[in-house]
Amino acid sequence: MGDKTVRVTEAQIQQKLNERLAVPFSLLKIFDVNLSNALVTFDKTTGRMYTTFDTRLSSALLDEAYAGKLGLSGKLRFDAPTQAVVMDETEIDKFELDGMQAKQADMLNALAKKLGSQMLNGLPLYTVKPEDLTIGNRHYQPKEMLVTDKGLQITLSPQP
């Protein structure tokens, strides 16, 4: 038995992100951030994943809650100990909130870029299923991961 391939689609990653980030999180215990409706694209040239979220930000410091868009990207790698695809070199590419004053928006944008990148770095996006790693008595180990324009392609090799 030779290598086998597991394909992970944009839709699968979008679903995992929506599940993982469905719970609002807090920035500095001041701002509550809700992310939803992940839209994922892959760039095979750079090996990066680009994601846009619908975003809602609220805080006791603000008069109202704001809605907008958060765009982030990250380089993908396979983490062998956890059998998961994780995002590294995470960057907040865009953070726009509708109706917010420019001065507040600039401050929040800088905060989001700094803290958001740190919080999302190393985020697990997909874990290889146990049933993909074992067929009969044969155990497979991830060998390589390729980012394509359609998703991820993980090659599994049989262990001796």
Side-chain angles (χ1 to χ4, degrees):
M1 295 184 103
D3 290 352
K4 70 180 224 169
T5 302
V6 174
R7 286 177 174 56
V8 184
T9 66
E10 291 172 344
Q12 288 172 295
I13 298 292
Q14 285 172 183
Q15 180 184 357
K16 293 290 183 190
L17 280 170
N18 285 329
E19 289 169 6
R20 187 169 308 281
L21 299 174
V23 176
F25 59 93
S26 180
L27 288 176
L28 300 176
K29 298 182 181 180
I30 298 172
F31 301 102
D32 294 318
V33 180
N34 294 319
L35 300 175
S36 60
N37 300 322
L39 181 59
V40 172
T41 57
F42 294 99
D43 184 343
K44 70 178 181 182
T45 307
T46 63
R48 291 182 76 80
M49 178 184 81
Y50 294 87
T51 309
T52 303
F53 292 96
D54 289 339
T55 305
R56 184 166 170 79
L57 178 94
S58 59
S59 172
L61 299 177
L62 300 172
D63 296 336
E64 60 183 289
Y66 291 91
K69 295 284 186 187
L70 174 82
L72 65 91
S73 64
K75 191 144 182 92
L76 302 179
R77 72 172 170 84
F78 190 82
D79 183 60
T82 62
Q83 304 291 317
V85 175
V86 297
M87 186 167 44
D88 283 338
E89 299 176 28
T90 308
E91 295 176 11
I92 304 296
D93 301 320
K94 172 176 96 170
F95 185 54
E96 297 173 355
L97 297 170
D98 301 329
M100 183 171 273
Q101 295 175 11
K103 195 175 199 179
Q104 286 178 316
D106 290 344
M107 178 196 67
L108 285 173
N109 215 325
L111 184 66
K113 286 183 184 239
K114 179 72 174 158
L115 294 177
S117 296
Q118 291 172 0
M119 289 176 64
L120 297 170
N121 214 34
L123 178 71
L125 301 172
Y126 179 85
T127 302
V128 176
K129 298 174 185 145
E131 59 267 22
D132 288 331
L133 296 173
T134 305
I135 297 178
N137 292 334
R138 178 67 95 188
H139 187 70
Y140 286 80
Q141 192 66 25
K143 178 172 133 182
E144 68 180 349
M145 183 187 73
L146 179 64
V147 176
T148 72
D149 287 339
K150 301 284 185 211
L152 306 175
Q153 185 173 305
I154 302 169
T155 302
L156 306 172
S157 292
Q159 289 190 313

